[in-house]
Amino acid sequence: MATIHYNAPDYFLLDELFTDEHKMVRGAIRDWVNRSVIPIIDDACQTHTFPKHLIRELGEMGAFGPYIPQKYGGAGLDHIAYGLIMQELERGDSGIRSMASVQSSLVMYPIYSFGTEEQRMKYLPKLATGELVGCFGLTEPNHGSDPGSMVTRITDKGDHFLLNGAKMWITNSPIADIGVVWAKDDNGIVRGVIVERGMKGFTTPETTKKWSLRASYTGEMVFDDVIIPKENLLTGVQGLKGPMSCLNSARFGIAWGVIGAAMDCYDVALNYSKERIQFKRPIAGFQLTQKKFAEILTEITKAQFLAWRLGVLRNENRATPAQISMAKRNNVKMALDTARESRQILGAMGITGDFPMMRHMMNLESVITYEGTHDVHLLITGLDITGENAFS
Ligand code: TGC
Ligand code: FAD
């Protein structure tokens, strides 16, 4: 078990581009991860449990809705600070970053952006502290990459809506107090509603036996004639661009987050390679080991700059969805490749829970799938380049 004495790679002195506030936020989350996540995370994953006590601590650290204005309980930070928080959390574990991504980008963001003032005041401050846990229901059993074909429906019954259908693969759903759920209305238009635990006909069965994101809750959301009060409709948006805008924020966070997982793998492998002796010398001295490190560090550095530039553009409200797709796709693949290569540097030790590579690697198999698969992001980039839609 290594990573408390962490030496974060920064080969091109990217630190000089961060403000003091960015570095302070990053340092605080890094310390918290060292203290509260790293000592327990392997056990949590081995036993397939999400460490629930971390939720309130994440709230205290300001990890929920960091870019939401302070008036609503957020920290009022910029998007680069949000990215750095995701990077540090994912260095701990993708499951912990997932918890924070969903709460921030997929629950607080839509309530802040599309909700009424009453909804903002009712939910956001409690989501910011972790008193409430949220989830985001877009994917359905038969509609994953193609959410526009969803069949979950809200029917207008005059003084309320009736919600029917099911969502699947939903992070946090088994423990969520509320869910932002996307469903089609009577005109076939995608709308967002806030569903609360305890509403009659609403259940959240847990998805078990995962080999990935084991320290994260995943489940379904099942709606059987659930009565939704009219005041729970997100009135500020109609159509697929509602959920897709939330995904822009979450995918942005992932583009940063996965760098943390890669940096962790690199740092652990580098330390190990200097201590592990074979053929009477440290394995760090073999050319083939050095090739791995040189290539890993080059890719981490490129990913860091891609994320940083994307952060600058997002702060200026100029980051396009296609740029976000490119960064998510590139950086997740980079992190997965880094986890695989760095595990090899550890030989057999790399498969144990004493080191983080195998856990990161298994987690990243989900990360390369959710928020748009690797291939879906390629097609988004292809469409942006050529103007030709290759989806269907
Ligand atoms: P298409 O016809 O291209 O677009 C329909 C409408 O949506 C708008 N739109 C966007 N708006 C904002 N940002 C984006 N990124 C947008 N992408 C599309 C578009 O402008 C259009 O608006 P309008 O007003 O003209 O109607 O849509 P399509 O039906 O062809 O589908 C393509 C699309 C974009 C859905 C597909 O490319 C895609 O991205 N599929 C992936 C689905 C996905 O990412 N699901 C994620 C579920 S949530 C999740 O995984 C959470 S994991 C959380 C965790 O644990 O961390
Ligand atoms: P499919 O869409 O069935 O895709 C299967 C394969 O076909 C993929 O390789 C895909 O790239 C490929 N494919 C599909 N369409 C095309 C095409 N047009 N051209 C070429 N190839 C194509 N969803 C939520 O709504 N909320 C959540 O909180 C959430 N959390 C998740 C947590 C975990 C752990 C996981 C694993 C998933 C989560 N998801 C969530 C769902 C996730 O977003 C979907 O799994 C993802 O969008 C892919 O959908 P699918 O699994 O149905 O795959």
Side-chain angles (χ1 to χ4, degrees), residues 86-277:
M86 296 299 115
Q87 173 188 290
E88 295 307 316
L89 293 180
E90 195 142 3
R91 177 190 148 231
D93 192 79
S94 303
I96 308 299
R97 195 271 305 140
S98 264
M99 164 80 220
S101 289
V102 169
Q103 186 91 341
S104 301
S105 288
L106 299 183
V107 181
M108 295 178 73
Y109 173 85
I111 293 175
Y112 172 66
S113 304
F114 310 129
T116 60
E117 190 59 18
E118 290 71 28
Q119 289 166 347
R120 290 172 168 184
M121 295 311 291
K122 179 175 176 187
Y123 298 110
L124 292 177
K126 289 183 179 169
L127 288 161
T129 59
E131 189 181 334
L132 288 181
V133 172
C135 67
F136 175 90
L138 180 64
T139 306
E140 300 186 349
N142 293 322
H143 307 97
S145 299
D146 177 21
S149 298
M150 68 175 71
V151 294
T152 299
R153 287 285 185 279
I154 47 166
T155 313
D156 194 334
K157 292 290 178 186
D159 62 345
H160 65 272
F161 297 108
L162 270 191
L163 178 63
N164 279 290
K167 301 290 176 178
M168 196 174 176
W169 301 112
I170 307 303
T171 299
N172 293 347
S173 85
I175 55 161
D177 302 289
I178 66 167
V180 169
V181 175
W182 301 94
K184 283 189 178 163
D185 68 12
D186 299 325
N187 300 314
I189 296 171
V190 173
R191 306 299 305 264
V193 289
I194 301 168
V195 180
E196 298 185 15
R197 185 167 297 284
M199 286 179 168
K200 194 158 172 288
F202 170 44
T203 49
T204 56
E206 186 175 352
T207 304
T208 54
K209 297 188 180 173
K210 291 178 299 171
W211 284 116
S212 176
L213 286 187
R214 288 167 66 83
S216 167
Y217 277 108
T218 312
E220 298 169 47
M221 302 176 88
V222 182
F223 315 107
D224 182 9
D225 275 345
V226 182
I227 294 174
I228 307 288
K230 286 255 159 122
E231 64 262 26
N232 284 27
L233 182 73
L234 295 177
T235 52
V237 75
Q238 298 192 19
L240 204 56
K241 66 174 179 289
M244 296 312 295
S245 313
C246 308
L247 295 184
N248 291 336
S249 175
R251 292 167 175 177
F252 170 85
I254 289 171
W256 281 84
V258 292
I259 299 172
M263 285 160 73
D264 191 34
C265 292
Y266 169 83
D267 183 57
V268 171
L270 186 58
N271 288 331
Y272 184 90
S273 72
K274 290 176 182 169
E275 288 170 9
R276 177 69 176 167
I277 309 291

Side-chain angles (χ1 to χ4, degrees), residues 195-389:
V195 180
E196 298 185 15
R197 185 167 297 284
M199 286 179 168
K200 194 158 172 288
F202 170 44
T203 49
T204 56
E206 186 175 352
T207 304
T208 54
K209 297 188 180 173
K210 291 178 299 171
W211 284 116
S212 176
L213 286 187
R214 288 167 66 83
S216 167
Y217 277 108
T218 312
E220 298 169 47
M221 302 176 88
V222 182
F223 315 107
D224 182 9
D225 275 345
V226 182
I227 294 174
I228 307 288
K230 286 255 159 122
E231 64 262 26
N232 284 27
L233 182 73
L234 295 177
T235 52
V237 75
Q238 298 192 19
L240 204 56
K241 66 174 179 289
M244 296 312 295
S245 313
C246 308
L247 295 184
N248 291 336
S249 175
R251 292 167 175 177
F252 170 85
I254 289 171
W256 281 84
V258 292
I259 299 172
M263 285 160 73
D264 191 34
C265 292
Y266 169 83
D267 183 57
V268 171
L270 186 58
N271 288 331
Y272 184 90
S273 72
K274 290 176 182 169
E275 288 170 9
R276 177 69 176 167
I277 309 291
Q278 290 293 290
F279 300 97
K280 302 187 179 58
R281 61 184 299 194
I283 60 168
F286 298 127
Q287 284 185 346
L288 288 176
T289 311
Q290 292 185 5
K291 177 173 187 288
K292 288 187 174 65
F293 282 127
E295 288 178 351
I296 289 171
L297 186 57
T298 305
E299 291 309 313
I300 288 177
T301 304
K302 283 152 67 180
Q304 286 171 326
F305 274 87
L306 196 54
W308 173 79
R309 180 63 187 152
L310 189 67
V312 171
L313 291 175
R314 193 147 171 87
N315 280 343
E316 295 169 355
N317 206 19
R318 291 198 294 145
T320 66
Q323 287 169 337
I324 294 171
S325 279
M326 182 185 280
K328 191 264 184 188
R329 180 174 185 273
N330 180 77
N331 290 8
V332 177
K333 179 70 163 51
M334 176 283 295
L336 194 47
D337 291 345
T338 296
R340 287 173 179 154
E341 286 292 285
S342 60
R343 194 217 59 75
Q344 293 206 46
I345 294 171
L346 268 68
M349 287 307 289
I351 71 157
T352 72
D354 290 336
F355 295 92
M357 284 78 170
M358 203 67 193
R359 178 170 50 78
H360 282 311
M361 194 193 306
M362 292 195 300
N363 284 341
L364 289 163
E365 288 294 338
S366 284
V367 183
I368 205 166
T369 300
Y370 66 34
E371 302 274 5
T373 67
H374 194 61
D375 285 346
V376 160
H377 287 296
L378 178 137
L379 296 178
I380 291 171
T381 307
L383 169 59
D384 199 48
I385 295 168
T386 66
E388 295 288 338
N389 185 338

